[in-house]
Amino acid sequence: MRQRGRGRGHSRGRTTAAWCAALCAVMALPGGTAQAAGAPGSYSFDSKAKPVRGATVNSNAQRLTPGSVYRDRIKKDGKLYYRLDLDARTNAYVSVVAVPRAGGKVEYGDGITVSLRSGTDTQCSTQDASFEGGTFTRPIAAYAHRMIEPDSTNCQERGAYYVLVERTTKPTSTPDDWELEIRYDEEPPLKAAGPTAAPEDWPSASPGPPAGGPQKRAGGTGFNDAMSIGQGEWRDDIKPGQTRYFRVPVDWGQQLFVAADLGSSTASTDYVSNALVVALHNPARGYVLQESGPYDGKPSSLGLKSLPPVAYENRFDSNASASGMRFAGWYYVSAALSPALAEKYGDKAVPLTLRVNVTRKAKQGPGYDGQPGIFAVTDDDRDAVADGVSGPGAARSDSMKLVAVAGIGAGTVLLLVLGGWTVLARRQRSAA
């Protein structure tokens, strides 16, 4: 009897251990822990960004890997190098977001230059991002790329390449370090060569206001938590000194039109020049164009200039803004309100409305020889617009779908474990 009692206890111990193991397996399913998004300051950095330290000479540059995001900082008038190891087929894009300290001072022409250079220091491409219209601190972004071109001999071979980030700061500007967010993406080659001539003309007349009336959508505080919007009017509030981020999916062949409206104020009628700055960046976070406009307490509107429909061959256009409309994916719209408004109108939020038109039917892509990655518009992207979620929100939504499926499986496992435990207990009682 004593031995049989020990046997029952030992069996119960094994059963309990099995139950605990099953329970632990259920608890270990993905989605159990939520990560906090954003970062200190006025810009939400990618929570998965890796620390990196740029080198002052290219021979000491740390290597970046495709699909990764990094964080660094750059000093006044600093120069930083990062290394890429490229093949002879793939287009490479490296974007840099520079984030000055909120409340600091910048002058006209302050900014960053991002260039991509070969091992022999041949410049593959370069782009500037500077404080021109609206000289107040806010995040600015630019990119550089290595593009495979059939008739080019520069930057076509495989080997080591270097991203150079240079900062320009006027003597009267705040000399504090600027934080950097660096993203490296690759665009696959085409299966077959396509057109190499950019379209010469396109519809430039802005469409009428989108139907349906304004919908409330709160913008994000960076590229990474930008709010998903599409065709329509989107209402938010913006305070002086804030920058709000939105993203719009634009497919191949589609044309994007964006305008921003500021609502009226009863606080003042004082004139503030370059009060609102609206900028557009493409899926690789390359700068496309920006517009700035004044505010005097009356309703005001600011529209981005007409751009061509999204097409692969736009990259061959000599116009930098048209060239930026070179791939499908999320296009980012940022709206920044000058802190000077606080002096005239107080620190209260001003009504902001974005009017977005996405015209023309989507077309087939250019035929990538590989997965397009960020250079595509998916059903999940369209769902993100319909559901009104930000970048992290969309990722969480996908995770929750996985958790829901896994949860069904986990529930089945749990029922099986409980059923097995019950059967085993009955057998033990019968044996007793």
Side-chain angles (χ1 to χ4, degrees):
M1 291 293 293
R2 196 173 297 167
Q3 184 178 359
R4 196 161 50 238
R6 285 198 299 270
R8 284 199 301 269
H10 189 53
S11 177
R12 283 197 298 270
R14 287 199 304 269
T15 305
T16 303
W19 157 250
C20 291
L23 182 60
C24 289
V26 171
M27 295 301 292
L29 287 169
T33 302
Q35 290 185 346
S42 59
Y43 181 82
S44 291
F45 289 87
D46 192 316
S47 61
K48 297 180 181 179
K50 308 170 187 177
V52 67
R53 180 170 295 180
T56 56
V57 293
N58 68 346
S59 57
N60 294 335
Q62 294 186 39
R63 179 176 175 268
L64 308 183
T65 58
S68 297
V69 184
Y70 301 86
R71 286 188 65 173
D72 200 357
R73 57 178 59 240
I74 189 169
K75 297 182 178 296
K76 176 182 177 181
D77 299 323
K79 294 184 179 183
L80 299 176
Y81 285 93
Y82 309 90
R83 174 176 171 145
L84 311 180
D85 289 331
L86 303 182
D87 60 22
R89 306 180 65 239
T90 309
N91 297 328
Y93 294 86
V94 177
S95 68
V96 179
V97 182
V99 185
R101 179 178 62 81
K105 180 181 179 182
V106 291
E107 298 285 359
Y108 184 94
D110 285 355
I112 58 169
T113 299
V114 183
S115 60
L116 188 57
R117 318 176 86 86
S118 72
T120 58
D121 207 38
T122 298
Q123 182 173 283
C124 308
S125 73
T126 185
Q127 190 176 64
D128 299 328
S130 62
F131 297 98
E132 295 177 357
T135 52
F136 56 89
T137 56
R138 61 188 183 277
I140 54 176
Y143 74 173
H145 54 81
R146 190 287 297 269
M147 190 170 69
I148 298 298
E149 301 181 71
D151 299 326
S152 177
T153 58
N154 289 335
C155 302
Q156 303 298 292
E157 65 280 358
R158 65 178 300 172
Y161 288 77
Y162 299 93
V163 179
L164 174 60
V165 182
E166 302 172 270
R167 173 182 165 186
T168 300
T169 309
K170 298 290 178 59
T172 53
S173 300
T174 304
D176 293 350
D177 292 357
W178 291 358
E179 293 194 78
L180 301 178
E181 182 177 71
I182 304 163
R183 183 183 175 101
Y184 171 21
D185 290 292
E186 288 188 335
E187 181 189 29
L190 301 182
K191 293 179 180 178
T196 57
E200 295 184 359
D201 55 15
W202 59 83
S204 59
S206 299
Q215 303 177 58
K216 183 69 176 178
R217 289 280 173 92
T221 55
F223 285 95
N224 305 287
D225 67 347
M227 174 55 67
S228 305
I229 59 175
Q231 174 87 12
E233 288 188 51
W234 309 98
R235 172 79 168 74
D236 193 10
D237 295 308
I238 184 170
K239 287 187 174 183
Q242 281 188 333
T243 302
R244 308 294 270 172
Y245 286 81
F246 304 84
R247 60 178 192 166
V248 184
V250 187
D251 214 336
W252 298 106
Q254 293 187 316
Q255 191 171 13
L256 174 65
F257 296 88
V258 177
D261 300 336
L262 286 179
S264 61
S265 172
T266 58
S268 176
T269 58
D270 289 344
Y271 181 89
V272 178
S273 63
N274 296 316
L276 178 67
V277 179
V278 179
L280 178 68
H281 289 79
N282 65 25
R285 302 184 183 181
Y287 171 79
V288 178
L289 83 166
Q290 75 172 26
E291 301 287 345
S292 61
Y295 185 67
D296 61 0
K298 301 174 184 177
S300 62
S301 183
L302 179 65
L304 295 181
K305 293 179 180 178
S306 173
L307 294 165
V310 171
Y312 187 89
E313 55 268 28
N314 284 340
R315 64 192 62 203
F316 303 110
D317 200 309
S318 59
N319 180 284
S321 295
S323 176
M325 308 299 291
R326 63 176 60 195
F327 21 54
W330 289 106
Y331 280 77
Y332 297 88
V333 180
S334 63
L337 194 63
S338 171
L341 263 74
E343 303 172 9
K344 310 287 186 180
Y345 293 86
D347 198 34
K348 294 183 179 179
V350 179
L352 170 71
T353 302
L354 289 183
R355 289 182 282 113
V356 176
N357 284 281
V358 182
T359 64
R360 305 166 72 91
K361 292 183 178 179
K363 296 181 178 180
Q364 286 291 110
Y368 285 125
D369 186 14
Q371 294 299 318
I374 65 170
F375 305 119
V377 174
T378 67
D379 289 340
D380 286 342
D381 296 336
R382 298 183 184 94
D383 290 344
V385 172
D387 297 340
V389 295
S390 64
R396 285 194 297 271
S397 177
D398 290 341
S399 296
M400 290 309 296
K401 291 176 184 176
L402 176 62
V403 170
V405 173
I408 294 172
T412 304
V413 171
L414 184 57
L415 288 174
L416 290 173
V417 170
L418 291 174
W421 194 1
T422 302
V423 170
L424 183 60
R426 287 174 178 172
R427 287 179 179 176
Q428 290 168 351
R429 284 196 297 271
S430 297

